Amino acid sequence: MNAAACNTLLHVCRQGSRSCPPWIWRRESHWQTSLLGLRSALPMRAEPKKKKKVDPKREQIVKERMKKKLKKLERIAPELIPIDDFTPSAKLMDENRIREPVQLSGEEKERRALIIKKWAFSKQQEHEIERRNIACLLESQRKALNELRLESEELYDAAVRCDPGVFPLESCGPCNSPPIPKYNPPDGKYNDITKVYTQQ
């Protein structure tokens, strides 16, 4: 833009003419600059931090301190971790401690008896259903074998014959074996609630 055009534009804006377009005297955002303002470069985002020069003597001093601390820790005897399982509480060791039996009220006894009766009734119904299903299966098997016998005697004999490959189980010897001396049985599944102690 030449000097004459700039002067004309400044003259129009100074007069406050409403015909002046808004992009001349109003900023739309912080990235736009007014034509009346000074042109400047975009602001710098950030500058890289200057690396501090590390003194080798200071590093050596820090390493020496760490070595001294480690030597001190090695001199201290390790703390023994207490095993809660082997040290029962004093309340349990009291000989006068007697657990009193729980006194149930009459209503509670009736409620528990009713629960036991309901449980027994539900288990009886379950047993009856299972027995009926087994009887139904056996009856249908018997009918199918009778029909097969009418069709072919050879097929019936093959169906009735015992198949040793169905249950490949061979058992020999006594059912209850004597205990093995010095046998340590493996632990089953259990939840490990051992407390973890850290050395200080």
Side-chain angles (χ1 to χ4, degrees):
M1 190 180 273
N2 58 9
C6 283
N7 289 333
T8 309
L9 192 59
L10 284 170
H11 180 66
V12 170
C13 288
R14 282 180 191 152
Q15 286 178 353
S17 171
R18 291 190 180 254
S19 63
C20 182
W23 51 268
I24 292 175
W25 50 270
R26 189 185 352 133
R27 288 176 59 183
E28 295 295 332
S29 71
H30 66 281
W31 294 109
Q32 292 176 344
T33 54
S34 169
L35 289 175
L36 304 176
L38 296 170
R39 293 277 180 181
S40 61
L42 290 173
M44 293 290 287
R45 292 282 186 223
E47 289 184 7
K49 290 183 179 179
K50 292 179 181 178
K51 290 184 179 178
K52 292 180 180 178
K53 290 182 180 179
V54 181
D55 190 8
K57 288 183 180 177
R58 188 172 289 178
E59 270 191 5
Q60 192 68 26
I61 290 166
V62 171
K63 284 181 183 178
E64 290 294 329
R65 283 181 188 166
M66 288 297 292
K67 284 180 183 177
K68 285 180 182 177
K69 283 183 181 179
L70 287 171
K71 282 182 182 178
K72 279 184 182 179
L73 288 172
E74 285 173 0
R75 284 180 204 154
I76 299 168
E79 267 183 58
L80 294 174
I81 297 169
I83 301 170
D84 295 335
D85 298 339
F86 296 160
T87 54
S89 63
K91 289 181 182 178
L92 300 175
M93 300 299 288
D94 188 12
E95 293 179 0
N96 298 328
R97 179 176 174 269
I98 298 169
R99 179 181 289 180
E100 295 179 2
V102 180
Q103 298 294 331
L104 298 174
S105 62
E107 293 177 359
E108 181 64 21
K109 286 179 182 177
E110 286 180 11
R111 190 183 72 82
R112 291 189 181 188
L114 187 64
I115 287 170
I116 290 168
K117 284 179 183 176
K118 283 182 179 177
W119 172 254
F121 181 69
S122 66
K123 294 305 284 183
Q124 183 188 0
Q125 281 185 327
E126 186 181 324
H127 172 69
E128 287 292 329
I129 290 165
E130 190 174 353
R131 193 175 61 79
R132 263 186 256 122
N133 290 338
I134 290 168
C136 184
L137 288 170
L138 288 172
E139 183 63 25
S140 60
Q141 184 187 30
R142 188 185 62 77
K143 284 180 181 177
L145 286 172
N146 288 338
E147 290 293 327
L148 186 64
R149 194 171 205 171
L150 293 173
E151 289 290 325
S152 171
E153 191 71 28
E154 293 176 0
L155 290 174
Y156 174 78
D157 290 339
V160 172
R161 195 180 302 127
C162 182
D163 186 7
V166 175
F167 299 107
L169 176 65
E170 293 180 5
S171 60
C172 58
C175 296
N176 296 323
S177 60
I180 301 168
K182 297 180 181 179
Y183 174 70
N184 190 13
D187 292 336
K189 291 182 180 178
Y190 62 94
N191 295 327
D192 190 7
I193 55 168
T194 309
K195 293 179 183 177
V196 179
Y197 295 89
T198 55
Q199 192 75 27
Q200 294 180 352

